Amino acid sequence: MWKVTGDTLGVRTVGSRRVGRGLLLVTLAVMCVFIAVFTLGRVVSIPDAKALMDIGAEANIPTWWNTMLLALVAALAAIAWRAESDRGPRTAWAAVTAAGTYLSIDEAAVLHEKLGVPMREAGLDVVTYAWVLPGAAFAILATLVLVRLGRRLPRPTGGRLGLALVVYGGAAVGIEGVNGVMSRNGHGLDFTVGIILEEGLEMGACIIAVCAILDHLLSGDHGPSLERLGRPKAA
């Protein structure tokens, strides 16, 4: 039977910090290329390159990277769920897996935009993006559920995942809500800084979560280890 171990994933020798640094470097590279392309775009016409790297748009390289980070969080949480034997933490890991999976799909398919349809059909005019208000209500409800379930996780892991959740939610709803207000006055420098901050914090939150889950899986001090997945049950 195939066994999932620290050596199988290649993280036993690499370590979560090195993984985190690698993910952070790619994230910074994406941001730097975006800035370079849009700076160059002020001098020459490069619409295709701008569309490919626009972190404020969809279906491009930054969106793909954010989607991959969220999918990685979901995958690692699923491994932690599989390795856990206690019902409480197992339920918490299942919730983290579901949240990461949904957010990954949402990032790729832009599901949150659909939340604004009823607002527009009702003729309600809001000062920001139409989806932000119903999205904020949904985010608060989901956060309350995740925080409650997260208390069942070991304190260091639960605390770091809670931090990642706050950072991601604050960026995805809070800062994007502010960006929506600024977008009404055109896409100036303030709007560009806003979307860089929003997307950067979202990706940073995912990296925090990835490192937290890896540390949990590789820790021998608390919680299950990856080797438990492949350990035969006692007779």
Side-chain angles (χ1 to χ4, degrees):
M1 181 179 179
W2 184 70
K3 299 179 180 180
V4 180
T5 67
D7 293 332
T8 302
L9 293 178
V11 294
R12 173 64 73 185
T13 55
V14 174
S16 64
R17 290 186 179 181
R18 189 171 297 180
V19 170
R21 285 196 295 266
L23 296 177
L24 181 59
L25 285 175
V26 175
T27 298
L28 292 175
V30 170
M31 294 294 178
C32 289
V33 173
F34 160 73
I35 294 172
V37 167
F38 272 70
T39 301
L40 181 61
R42 293 179 177 273
V43 181
V44 297
S45 178
I46 48 174
D48 291 341
K50 290 174 69 175
L52 188 64
M53 293 305 304
D54 188 355
I55 62 175
E58 311 295 342
N60 54 26
I61 290 178
T63 300
W64 169 82
W65 179 240
N66 206 351
T67 300
M68 292 296 292
L69 286 174
L70 288 163
L72 180 57
V73 172
L76 290 174
I79 294 173
W81 168 81
R82 177 67 180 83
E84 184 60 65
S85 58
D86 294 338
R87 181 176 180 180
R90 190 175 173 85
T91 301
W93 285 121
V96 175
T97 302
T101 301
Y102 170 79
L103 289 173
S104 178
I105 295 172
D106 177 83
E107 184 68 24
V110 203
L111 299 179
H112 60 273
E113 294 286 353
K114 306 298 187 294
L115 296 174
V117 174
M119 302 282 288
R120 290 191 291 268
E121 290 181 345
L124 298 176
D125 184 28
V126 294
V127 297
T128 184
Y129 301 124
W131 69 266
V132 170
L133 293 181
F138 177 78
I140 290 173
L141 178 61
T143 298
L144 291 175
V145 172
L146 287 171
V147 168
R148 183 176 180 82
L149 293 176
R151 293 176 180 173
R152 304 177 182 181
L153 296 174
R155 182 167 295 180
T157 303
R160 292 168 69 186
L161 289 177
L163 173 62
L165 178 63
V166 170
V167 172
Y168 190 93
V173 179
I175 296 180
E176 185 153 2
V178 175
N179 291 342
V181 176
M182 293 191 295
S183 69
R184 292 199 163 198
N185 298 321
H187 293 181
L189 180 60
D190 56 349
F191 179 79
T192 301
V193 172
I195 61 174
I196 290 175
L197 183 60
E198 174 210 336
E199 296 295 331
L201 287 175
E202 286 184 14
M203 295 177 189
C206 292
I207 295 172
I208 292 173
V210 166
C211 292
I213 300 173
L214 280 177
D215 281 340
H216 172 79
L217 290 171
L218 299 175
S219 174
D221 297 329
H222 59 75
S225 65
L226 287 173
E227 282 74 12
R228 182 177 296 183
L229 289 169
R231 187 182 301 163
K233 294 183 179 180

